Amino acid sequence: MSNPSILILPGDGIGPEVMAEVRRIIDWFGAKRDLAFDVSEDLVGGAAYDVHGTPLHDDTMKKAFEADAVLLGAVGGPKYDVLDFSVKPERGLLRLRKELDLFSNLRPAQCFDALADFSSLKRDVVAGLDIMIVRELTSGIYFGEPRGIIEEGNERVGINTQRYTESEIDRVARSAFELAMRRGKKLCSMEKANVMESGILWREVVTKVGEEYPEVELSHMYADAGAMQLCRWPKQFDVIVTDNLFGDLLSDAAAMLTGSLGMLPSASLGAPRDNGRPYALYEPVHGSAPDIAGQGKANPIACVLSFAMALRYSFDQGAEADRLEEAVNTVLANGARTADLLGEEGVTPLSTSEMGTKILEALDASL
């Protein structure tokens, strides 16, 4: 029986540096936990454009379809700002999302106790925070038609259409309910049913799907009220499901509750394949950070935690995902910090590889 496969796309900027630490951790699981993966590597974003003249080569797209999971570092950088929109590095990432039909975007907001003081909110509000936002990723106002800028009378008008079908809502709702079943069995759906017909349909479909998950406590909240409650008392939530636009806004707001956007992973999941595994793309939330690229200053934890999500959601290795997440927690609790996490005087920042080594040492200690 062949090993599960992972396609690694380091990308641009700090992507190759943080992904190098993930490769070390993948190797650790193969050597120490008898959990081996067949790993291949290819180009995406500006790195792909430099070689192929396109941010994602067709051969790479084919590999992504065949892989059990795709791990992506980051794309973009000022070098590519002058490129035509159609070949900018970000188009490679968008093509992966679109062609793999990755409709369910999982954005965790977890606050490690050691970093609770980094948040702008009070420690007791955020310490121990562990919520998951499920954002619909392939429809809604970002994709709806008609759209554009038109002339109307003597002025221009910008048009974007919020559009959802029942099936699009149904499938992301099921993804959220399944996730809630694996967590605290509590799901809050957020929309604007008070002023938007798409919100009315969203609430109706989510409610109907919820009848198939009687163990999950389902609640509904207007998205603006949800944003307020995220700032007021975020630990009231476990899983939140929402549409593309509101998910974009709410997940960034929730990310900042943790105090460090650069610490957070994400997963984008599609429909299950014949082997039961969904099409899946895992990536850190942070960007390519070209200002520190190549200097060994990048924090690899978001990318490491993205691999932990892959262990959990693509490979059914929840216990090993827990092991890796706990190793990160241990390292932070022991005071290890990269430059982006410095908040105490006299603390020497670790390099990217040094932080990776600390995580590997914590993994060794977990055996």
Side-chain angles (χ1 to χ4, degrees):
M1 185 175 179
S2 61
N3 298 323
S5 61
I6 297 174
L7 172 63
I8 286 181
L9 303 174
D12 308 320
I14 63 172
E17 296 168 70
V18 297
M19 196 62 75
E21 303 312 306
V22 175
R23 285 296 299 263
R24 296 171 68 194
I25 289 169
I26 292 172
D27 291 343
W28 183 91
F29 276 95
K32 301 293 182 70
R33 299 299 298 163
D34 194 26
L35 186 57
F37 298 93
D38 291 333
V39 180
S40 59
E41 189 169 316
D42 212 322
L43 304 174
V44 71
Y49 179 83
D50 289 341
V51 175
H52 301 297
T54 177
L56 188 72
H57 195 275
D58 289 345
D59 289 345
T60 311
M61 190 69 238
K62 183 175 183 293
K63 292 178 184 178
F65 273 113
E66 295 170 349
D68 292 312
V70 179
L71 300 182
L72 187 143
V75 295
K79 172 184 175 181
Y80 307 102
D81 289 346
V82 297
L83 296 179
D84 183 78
F85 181 77
S86 63
V87 291
K88 284 185 179 294
E90 293 77 10
R91 303 306 297 178
L93 173 58
L94 293 176
R95 182 184 177 190
L96 283 165
R97 290 175 177 172
K98 180 178 176 59
E99 295 196 21
L100 294 175
D101 197 17
L102 305 175
F103 60 85
S104 181
N105 180 224
L106 278 54
R107 288 279 296 269
Q110 182 179 9
C111 185
F112 293 95
D113 285 346
L115 301 181
D117 291 327
F118 278 69
S119 175
S120 57
L121 298 184
K122 296 178 180 178
R123 168 177 275 272
D124 67 315
V125 175
V126 296
L129 178 69
D130 182 10
I131 63 178
M132 180 74 76
I133 294 181
V134 180
R135 169 191 174 190
E136 200 288 322
L137 198 60
T138 58
S139 190
I141 201 166
Y142 293 161
F143 296 93
E145 298 287 348
R147 63 181 297 159
I149 299 175
I150 64 171
E151 297 286 340
E152 190 173 278
N154 60 355
E155 63 180 350
R156 296 189 302 162
V157 178
I159 298 173
N160 291 92
T161 302
Q162 169 78 340
R163 183 181 187 277
Y164 271 104
T165 65
E166 288 182 278
S167 60
E168 289 169 337
I169 301 169
D170 181 281
R171 66 181 186 174
V172 74
R174 290 182 186 279
S175 174
F177 276 106
E178 291 291 337
L179 185 59
M181 287 290 291
R182 299 167 70 168
R183 289 173 53 99
K185 297 185 178 180
K186 187 178 178 183
L187 175 63
C188 182
S189 175
M190 295 187 184
E191 26 61 14
K192 286 289 286 180
N194 55 334
V195 292
M196 298 172 67
E197 285 79 4
S198 61
I200 294 172
L201 180 64
W202 184 281
R203 183 172 292 208
E204 290 176 353
V205 174
V206 172
T207 300
K208 184 177 179 181
V209 174
E211 295 173 358
E212 301 178 32
Y213 296 87
E215 295 179 59
V216 176
E217 176 189 341
L218 173 63
S219 61
H220 301 273
M221 191 175 289
Y222 298 142
D224 52 345
M228 179 184 68
Q229 291 297 327
L230 276 171
C231 296
R232 175 181 173 271
W233 191 244
K235 287 187 280 190
Q236 68 183 281
F237 300 110
D238 181 31
V239 180
I240 295 170
V241 63
T242 190
D243 73 9
N244 206 340
L245 174 61
F246 296 139
D248 195 355
L249 301 174
L250 292 168
S251 61
D252 276 5
M256 288 314 299
L257 298 177
T258 70
S260 178
L261 188 66
M263 283 283 296
L264 299 176
S266 75
S268 298
L269 307 179
R273 294 171 286 189
D274 292 341
N275 62 8
R277 296 191 178 106
Y279 289 107
L281 171 69
Y282 299 90
E283 57 179 318
V285 171
H286 63 66
S288 61
D291 56 318
I292 61 169
Q295 300 176 36
K297 295 180 179 180
N299 184 350
I301 289 179
C303 204
V304 169
L305 292 176
S306 295
F307 174 59
M309 292 187 79
L311 288 172
R312 190 179 306 280
Y313 299 116
S314 281
F315 304 118
D316 295 321
Q317 295 289 337
E320 299 302 336
D322 290 343
R323 181 188 301 276
L324 181 52
E325 290 167 354
E326 183 54 35
V328 170
N329 185 48
T330 297
V331 165
L332 294 172
N334 289 341
R337 300 286 187 270
T338 43
D340 60 309
L341 299 177
L342 290 185
E344 307 168 31
E345 293 185 8
V347 177
T348 302
L350 299 179
S351 69
T352 307
S353 61
E354 287 171 338
M355 179 61 86
T357 297
K358 289 288 187 184
I359 296 172
L360 288 168
E361 290 172 353
L363 284 170
D364 282 335
S366 73
L367 298 177

